[in-house]
Amino acid sequence: MTAAVTPSDGKALEREALTHAGALYRLAARLLGNTADADDVVQEAFIKAISELRRGGFRGDSSLSTWLYRIVTHVALDRLRQVKRQAAVPPTEERESSASPDAAVALRELTDAMAELPEDQRAALVLKEVQGLPTREVALVLERSEGATEQLLVRARQTLRRRFEP
């Protein structure tokens, strides 16, 4: 869905939001490192999206889904900054009790490593590898060039690789 959405077309936003709600929630949870705040972030992002749509903030430069990813990413990163100011301890990942002990340890290590990445690298990696967005869309969400986005991805992967080398 692109520029066909108008400020008065709240139904189109609602349809698009429902279509991508799961992916947007997973994005928020991955960026935050926990699922506890993901609902709040997605809800706040939808409120911002509706407000922006009413003011004509969606120009149609990207798809509506990319625009929603951008808003969720910005809200989640704002929340991360707020949490970092309030406490020096990074958020912890919630785990399902059915995970094996080895899987739980591996997930904890990966979550800790991801939490240590700079925000922009973490966001790029989550959008590309977890959400499966093409690099072009990741660049649109992060409001960077494709080249700059590729560099973020390279740096994030290098940092993670170094962290897990024997």
Side-chain angles (χ1 to χ4, degrees), residues 97-109:
S97 59
S98 62
S100 72
D102 289 341
V105 169
L107 181 59
R108 176 79 254 152
E109 289 173 351

Side-chain angles (χ1 to χ4, degrees), residues 101-118:
D102 289 341
V105 169
L107 181 59
R108 176 79 254 152
E109 289 173 351
L110 180 58
T111 300
D112 291 346
M114 292 287 291
E116 292 174 8
L117 290 174

Side-chain angles (χ1 to χ4, degrees), residues 80-141:
L80 269 179
R81 288 182 204 110
Q82 182 181 33
V83 168
K84 284 179 183 179
R85 282 192 300 270
Q86 292 173 353
V89 181
T92 58
E93 175 74 21
E94 295 176 6
R95 287 174 205 35
E96 293 188 24
S97 59
S98 62
S100 72
D102 289 341
V105 169
L107 181 59
R108 176 79 254 152
E109 289 173 351
L110 180 58
T111 300
D112 291 346
M114 292 287 291
E116 292 174 8
L117 290 174
E119 291 173 352
D120 54 354
Q121 290 179 22
R122 182 179 188 178
L125 198 61
V126 168
L127 288 163
K128 175 74 174 170
E129 303 301 338
V130 178
Q131 298 301 122
L133 294 180
T135 304
R136 184 178 82 48
E137 281 192 50
V138 174
L140 287 170
V141 168

Side-chain angles (χ1 to χ4, degrees), residues 20-161:
H20 296 285
L24 294 168
Y25 172 81
R26 287 188 299 277
L27 169 63
R30 282 283 155 214
L31 289 173
L32 294 166
N34 71 75
T35 57
D37 295 329
D39 280 327
D40 291 341
V41 163
V42 171
Q43 189 172 33
E44 183 179 338
F46 285 158
I47 290 168
K48 283 186 177 204
I50 290 167
S51 175
E52 282 292 312
L53 193 61
R54 287 183 181 146
R55 289 192 328 226
F58 177 67
R59 298 179 310 266
D61 298 342
S62 64
S63 69
L64 187 57
S65 63
T66 299
W67 185 68
L68 288 170
Y69 275 109
R70 182 180 304 138
I71 294 171
V72 170
T73 299
H74 285 289
V75 172
L77 293 178
D78 286 347
R79 178 72 56 99
L80 269 179
R81 288 182 204 110
Q82 182 181 33
V83 168
K84 284 179 183 179
R85 282 192 300 270
Q86 292 173 353
V89 181
T92 58
E93 175 74 21
E94 295 176 6
R95 287 174 205 35
E96 293 188 24
S97 59
S98 62
S100 72
D102 289 341
V105 169
L107 181 59
R108 176 79 254 152
E109 289 173 351
L110 180 58
T111 300
D112 291 346
M114 292 287 291
E116 292 174 8
L117 290 174
E119 291 173 352
D120 54 354
Q121 290 179 22
R122 182 179 188 178
L125 198 61
V126 168
L127 288 163
K128 175 74 174 170
E129 303 301 338
V130 178
Q131 298 301 122
L133 294 180
T135 304
R136 184 178 82 48
E137 281 192 50
V138 174
L140 287 170
V141 168
L142 297 178
E143 300 176 289
R144 295 178 181 251
S145 69
E146 283 188 58
T149 301
E150 283 291 345
Q151 283 300 309
L152 289 174
L153 291 165
V154 166
R155 287 189 202 111
R157 290 176 183 133
Q158 286 174 341
T159 300
L160 291 176
R161 206 173 291 121

